[in-house]
């Protein structure tokens, strides 16, 4: 399988699928939203284990996920995107992408799309040069909150909990070195990106709707109002720190 980097910290896809995403970038006039793209076998199996723990053993909520032997993410032809909640969804469909994980039960994943070359109306269009995005251009901060030891990728109205050293290393390549922040610095990053403090706790616990319960963005949260406890609950830095005192974090 030949793979291509999507640029902008969006991960990788199989080359034909990546070319489609780059055409979508051009048509939208911005980087298409990609929260998760190609996935390692290790991550796919971890996601499956988290879902099985939720489904069968009373563990925290986790989105439905297939193991590495079945996951289209591992084949580089699947993307999780908030664009499905907006008018941009029509552009994805025109370029051969379909939501293939819509169910009327707790497996529902409206953010998940898969690429079908036969449905791509622009497959013969020349793929544009990937947009140049250097670390920092997208206002992304890799932040470790010293008080709890937890590490996050933080951007405008979005936050992603970083749960492993491998993931941290990959994110630092894309966005620059992790910043170790005290309460004052961490508060500034969270507040300046308009992220509710309750969400910081929820992504750390794996209790929101996004990838493995660890990702939140306002656009998707408002599109899925009330889903998985992502409503705007009032909280504060001190309350979140207290609530997370006994939560094990990988990078502490």
């Amino acid at each position: 399988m030949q793979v291509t980097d999507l640029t902008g910290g969006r991960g990788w896809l199989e080359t034909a699928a990546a070319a489609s995403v780059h055409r979508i970038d051009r048509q939208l006039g911005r980087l298409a939203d990609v929260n998760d793209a190609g996935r390692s076998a290790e991550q796919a199996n971890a996601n499956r284990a988290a879902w099985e723990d939720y489904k069968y053993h009373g563990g925290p909520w986790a989105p439905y996920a297939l193991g590495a032997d079945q996951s289209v993410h591992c084949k580089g032809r699947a993307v999780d995107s908030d664009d499905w909640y907006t008018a941009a969804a029509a552009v994805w469909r025109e370029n051969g992408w379909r939501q293939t994980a819509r169910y009327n039960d707790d497996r529902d994943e409206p953010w998940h799309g898969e690429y079908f070359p036969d449905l791509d109306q622009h497959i013969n269009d020349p793929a544009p040069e990937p947009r140049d995005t250097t670390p920092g251009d997208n206002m992304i901060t890799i932040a470790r909150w010293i008080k709890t030891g937890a590490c996050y990728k933080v951007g405008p109205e979005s936050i992603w909990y970083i749960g492993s050293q491998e993931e941290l290393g990959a994110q630092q390549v894309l966005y620059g070195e992790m910043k170790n922040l005290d309460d004052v610095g961490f508060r500034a990053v969270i507040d300046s990106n308009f992220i509710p403090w309750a969400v910081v706790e929820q992504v750390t616990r794996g209790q929101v709707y996004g990838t493995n319960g660890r990702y939140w963005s306002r656009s998707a949260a408002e599109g899925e109002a009330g889903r998985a406890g992502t409503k705007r609950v009032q909280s504060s830095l001190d309350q979140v720190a207290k609530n997370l005192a006994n939560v094990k974090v990988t990078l502490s």
Side-chain angles (χ1 to χ4, degrees), residues 163-237:
S164 70
Q165 291 288 347
E166 179 185 13
E167 184 179 0
L168 174 62
Q171 296 294 345
Q172 288 185 117
V173 169
L174 294 166
Y175 298 112
E177 290 299 310
M178 176 182 71
K179 297 179 180 179
N180 288 291
L181 301 176
D182 60 13
D183 286 0
V184 173
F186 190 65
R187 186 195 303 275
V189 168
I190 296 301
D191 288 349
S192 66
N193 284 288
F194 304 101
I195 297 168
W197 278 99
V199 168
V200 177
E201 179 179 347
Q202 289 167 347
V203 296
T204 309
R205 293 180 180 275
Q207 294 176 339
V208 293
Y209 58 85
T211 306
N212 204 20
R214 302 292 194 176
Y215 171 78
W216 177 92
S217 75
R218 187 176 300 281
S219 61
E222 292 178 352
E224 289 286 295
R227 184 183 180 88
T230 59
K231 57 188 176 181
R232 301 179 192 175
V233 179
Q234 293 298 316
S235 192
S236 66
L237 178 146

Side-chain angles (χ1 to χ4, degrees), residues 67-225:
D69 57 336
Q70 294 181 287
S71 174
V72 181
H73 282 284
C74 292
K75 299 175 182 178
R77 291 200 170 195
V79 159
D80 294 340
S81 173
D82 292 347
D83 281 343
W84 289 110
Y85 299 92
T86 73
V91 179
W92 283 83
R93 293 189 188 97
E94 189 174 309
N95 284 271
W97 294 81
R98 295 293 186 272
Q99 292 167 285
T100 58
R102 297 311 312 263
Y103 303 98
N104 293 318
D105 55 32
D106 57 7
R107 299 175 299 162
D108 191 39
E109 293 186 289
W111 53 81
H112 178 86
E114 296 178 10
Y115 179 59
F116 297 88
D118 291 348
L119 300 177
D120 188 347
Q121 299 176 37
H122 300 280
I123 194 167
N124 294 319
D125 294 353
E129 289 295 320
R131 295 181 61 166
D132 181 26
T133 53
T134 55
D137 281 355
N138 289 321
M139 298 180 288
I140 300 295
T141 300
I142 306 300
R144 177 178 175 270
W145 188 8
I146 294 172
K147 178 172 283 185
T148 66
C151 189
Y152 309 87
K153 179 174 74 173
V154 184
E157 299 191 319
S158 66
I159 183 169
W160 185 305
Y161 173 76
I162 297 174
S164 70
Q165 291 288 347
E166 179 185 13
E167 184 179 0
L168 174 62
Q171 296 294 345
Q172 288 185 117
V173 169
L174 294 166
Y175 298 112
E177 290 299 310
M178 176 182 71
K179 297 179 180 179
N180 288 291
L181 301 176
D182 60 13
D183 286 0
V184 173
F186 190 65
R187 186 195 303 275
V189 168
I190 296 301
D191 288 349
S192 66
N193 284 288
F194 304 101
I195 297 168
W197 278 99
V199 168
V200 177
E201 179 179 347
Q202 289 167 347
V203 296
T204 309
R205 293 180 180 275
Q207 294 176 339
V208 293
Y209 58 85
T211 306
N212 204 20
R214 302 292 194 176
Y215 171 78
W216 177 92
S217 75
R218 187 176 300 281
S219 61
E222 292 178 352
E224 289 286 295

